[in-house]
Amino acid sequence: MISSRFIAFAGPVVVVLMSASTTLAQTDYQYQYDDILVPAASADEPVAAAFSTDKAATYLQQSAAAWIGTRKCIACHTTGVHLVTRPALSESLGKPDDNLRQFALEQIIDLKMMRRETLLKGVNPVKVVYAAGGLAEWDAHITGQLSPETIDAFSFLFEIQLENGTWANTDCWPPYESDTYHVATAAAMALATAPGYLKNPPDEQAKTGISKLKKFLRSETPPHDYGKTLLLWASTRMPDLIDATQKQELIEMLLSHQREDGGWSIRTFAAPESWGKGNRAEKLRSEPEFANPPSDGHQTGLAIIVLREAGLAADDPRIQKGIAWLLANQRESGRWWTRSLNTDKWHFITFSGTAYPLLALQMCDALPKVAAK
């Protein structure tokens, strides 16, 4: 059971900023819990008059807190992303509250209590991956040392690993809950981020599990260019997944998607039918901007993060064009707009579409520090 104390990691409960002219019905909130009211995400939300790290941080904190308060679980698009990105943002946003780590630990406990046939279904294996990833990121960025809890979470992770080396996932909610390739790259990132874990696996189970995962990622063809982007990202932390030629090809692929305005669009990284089982194809093809999709926060932030970790310098002109796009396209609420691949109601992808830009800006020394409290 997740205690209500876990909303504390978000800091004081506040209403996320809305423009004075905005009036929203209760059902129009993207996230809502007690006094937390996060307005609906929309392409029509005005661009911010001035960049604000504080507003972006508040959006992430309050949205994650509201999800925990209402759903009490890991969802890849919100709390999962928060677990694996927030520790790395400590340099700019300050150390996360310890309750964020405790939330990951409680999730592991709850998942362990599931019947095995339930645990192996749907997104439950992905929840294990993101909880373990959150603990690994905490170890890497907060304490600097591998914890027994992270080792235990990885042991649990390997217990539910599929024989082919990856983990079960749903195939209907892109990009996170769409294919087993995505979850394999997320697991690789987690294992490689945990301090010293890959160098000294604790037991034979870990050694076998790591070997199976590497074999999967080396042999399985990514389902689309988005999957190739994730492979490149994972390879920056687990370098023996690909060789130098493959790495350069993936870098060039990623750069080839950059838009004229400097940003990237997630919609250019896969044909509509290539996301999961293709159940979003009709929705995606019917969008008015299908032929020329605009740059978005999720993919622009992700592209810059991956390119920086792959070795491109912060002052590379292509990186700088992306940074300029991010600085010029924050919205009044503090988030960046990214249209959902799934529905046109909640647009939860604006969460990663805000976490990734913040991390990208930090990695390029372009993120103003939060205001002193």
Side-chain angles (χ1 to χ4, degrees):
M1 181 67 67
I2 302 299
S3 167
S4 61
R5 72 180 182 277
F6 290 114
I7 68 168
F9 78 77
V13 175
V14 298
V15 177
V16 174
L17 291 173
M18 300 166 57
S19 63
S21 61
T22 301
T23 302
L24 295 169
Q26 183 176 4
T27 56
D28 288 329
Y29 293 112
Q30 186 184 35
Y31 298 95
Q32 181 176 8
Y33 179 70
D34 287 348
D35 294 332
I36 300 175
L37 303 175
V38 179
S42 168
D44 297 327
E45 181 182 358
V47 172
F51 183 86
S52 172
T53 302
D54 294 83
K55 285 186 178 181
T58 296
Y59 169 74
L60 294 178
Q61 292 166 345
Q62 298 300 315
S63 299
W67 188 271
I68 291 173
T70 56
R71 307 298 181 96
K72 299 176 174 60
C73 71
I74 291 176
C76 305
H77 56 64
T78 300
T79 44
V81 170
H82 201 60
L83 283 168
V84 299
T85 59
R86 182 58 181 85
L89 283 164
S90 298
E91 174 186 330
S92 300
L93 306 186
K95 176 181 174 293
D97 190 281
D98 289 340
N99 282 331
L100 178 58
R101 181 176 185 272
Q102 190 63 29
F103 169 66
L105 293 173
E106 290 280 341
Q107 286 291 290
I108 292 291
I109 292 172
D110 286 353
L111 288 160
K112 283 183 174 182
M113 293 175 63
M114 285 185 180
R115 294 170 59 91
R116 186 170 180 82
E117 56 267 34
T118 301
L119 176 63
L120 296 178
K121 292 180 180 178
V123 298
N124 289 322
V126 189
K127 292 178 181 179
V128 178
V129 170
Y130 275 89
L135 294 174
E137 293 285 344
W138 189 279
D139 291 352
H141 297 283
I142 306 301
T143 67
Q145 58 185 11
L146 184 65
S147 69
E149 293 84 359
T150 302
I151 295 172
D152 178 71
F154 285 154
S155 178
F156 180 41
L157 182 66
F158 289 127
E159 287 177 17
I160 61 171
Q161 187 179 27
L162 300 176
E163 189 56 38
N164 68 351
T166 186
W167 287 261
N169 195 2
T170 55
D171 57 6
C172 56
W173 294 93
Y176 293 102
E177 298 165 6
S178 185
D179 55 69
T180 59
Y181 196 88
H182 192 124
V183 67
T185 60
M189 294 279 289
L191 293 163
T193 299
Y197 190 86
L198 285 184
K199 185 176 291 186
N200 295 296
D203 51 38
E204 288 302 316
Q205 178 198 49
K207 292 177 183 177
T208 300
I210 292 167
S211 178
K212 288 165 60 176
L213 173 59
K214 287 183 176 182
K215 181 179 180 181
F216 175 86
L217 289 172
R218 288 169 180 157
S219 60
E220 188 76 8
T221 301
H224 33 53
D225 282 358
Y226 190 85
K228 291 178 182 178
T229 301
L230 299 180
L231 173 61
L232 177 59
W233 196 9
S235 75
T236 66
R237 304 189 188 186
M238 196 179 277
D240 55 351
L241 291 179
I242 58 176
D243 61 29
T245 299
Q246 291 173 298
K247 178 180 178 180
Q248 189 57 40
E249 289 174 350
L250 292 175
I251 290 173
E252 290 173 1
M253 175 280 298
L254 185 48
L255 288 170
S256 74
H257 281 275
Q258 190 169 25
R259 317 289 284 171
E260 288 188 7
D261 63 6
W264 281 261
S265 171
I266 191 173
R267 282 163 168 74
T268 72
F269 280 75
E273 294 79 10
S274 297
W275 292 113
K277 62 183 178 182
N279 60 309
R280 305 302 177 191
E282 182 178 353
K283 185 263 187 197
L284 293 170
R285 290 193 178 278
S286 68
E287 292 175 352
E289 298 167 316
F290 173 71
N292 186 30
S295 298
D296 61 69
H298 174 99
Q299 199 64 28
T300 302
L302 178 61
I304 294 172
I305 291 168
V306 175
L307 290 169
R308 286 288 289 121
E309 292 205 27
L312 268 68
D315 61 0
D316 184 290
R318 296 159 296 187
I319 296 288
Q320 284 301 304
K321 283 186 66 177
I323 291 297
W325 188 91
L326 289 176
L327 292 174
N329 283 279
Q330 187 185 35
R331 303 303 176 100
E332 282 186 346
S333 64
R335 64 191 156 200
W336 281 260
W337 167 247
T338 303
R339 188 175 188 177
S340 172
L341 297 172
N342 299 294
T343 74
D344 280 322
K345 186 173 184 180
W346 303 117
H347 304 290
F348 289 127
I349 198 171
T350 57
F351 189 94
S352 56
T354 301
Y356 289 164
L358 286 182
L359 189 53
L361 290 167
Q362 177 180 277
M363 292 173 70
C364 296
D365 297 321
L367 182 62
K369 298 293 192 293
V370 295
K373 302 298 184 184

